[in-house]
Amino acid sequence: MYCTECGAFNAETSQYCFACGSHLEVEAFTAVNDETLYKAVIGEHNQHEYVRLFERFSVGKSRLSWNTGAFFFTFCWMLYRKMWLTAIAYHVFPIFIAILLVLVADSSALSVFISVVFLLAQYFVIPLYSNFIYYQHCRKLNN
């Protein structure tokens, strides 16, 4: 630690500066609750709504909650919420599935069924779990 009076470096366990003899103040860290950490990560926009949802998720209640922004603009919503890797996976994974369907399946009923299930998952399941995905992202940033 550095002395606030003369700037000399002292051992962490020192109570007085070895250079000037002034008393060294040890900064105490205050405890920060989860809500404060979440607010710092979320930012101003929709902060109260996300904190309410995150509190519900943290006590183990349902992970389902609808997010209209994630329904209409999923990729942009993920980028706005700084979930870079999740947004890239969301963008690349459908392309990968489409290539697999073209290479592996013919135009059978099975490939059509797989395509419909995948589209339903992409457009309805992701928005249902998007707030929980964002909760996990914020928890990871806070730890």
Side-chain angles (χ1 to χ4, degrees):
M1 104 176 49
Y2 291 93
C3 176
T4 56
E5 298 295 322
C6 69
F9 182 76
N10 294 280
E12 293 294 323
T13 57
S14 300
Q15 292 183 357
Y16 297 95
C17 178
F18 79 93
C20 68
S22 63
H23 182 67
L24 298 174
E25 296 289 329
V26 179
E27 294 181 19
F29 293 101
T30 58
V32 179
N33 62 8
D34 285 343
E35 182 178 343
T36 305
L37 293 173
Y38 290 141
K39 284 181 178 181
V41 172
I42 294 168
E44 296 284 326
H45 190 66
N46 288 340
Q47 188 180 80
H48 63 282
E49 181 68 24
Y50 281 113
V51 169
R52 185 184 61 78
L53 283 169
F54 290 1
E55 287 172 357
R56 190 179 88 188
F57 295 149
S58 66
V59 296
K61 293 195 178 177
S62 176
R63 296 175 177 180
L64 292 175
S65 66
W66 185 256
N67 189 312
T68 305
F71 175 72
F72 287 110
F73 310 104
T74 308
F75 182 71
C76 295
W77 176 81
M78 288 177 180
L79 292 177
Y80 178 73
R81 291 293 170 190
K82 297 181 175 83
M83 297 189 295
W84 314 118
L85 293 177
T86 309
I88 290 170
Y90 177 82
H91 186 68
V92 171
F93 189 68
I95 296 169
F96 178 72
I97 294 296
I99 291 170
L100 278 178
L101 283 175
V102 168
L103 294 176
V104 175
D106 54 0
S107 61
S108 68
L110 179 62
S111 64
V112 172
F113 176 74
I114 292 172
S115 298
V116 168
V117 168
F118 184 74
L119 283 174
L120 287 174
Q122 184 176 6
Y123 289 110
F124 290 102
V125 174
I126 299 286
L128 277 173
Y129 284 96
S130 60
N131 290 325
F132 185 73
I133 294 168
Y134 186 47
Y135 165 72
Q136 289 179 320
H137 173 73
C138 291
R139 281 183 50 99
K140 192 183 330 176
L141 290 176
N142 285 336
N143 290 334

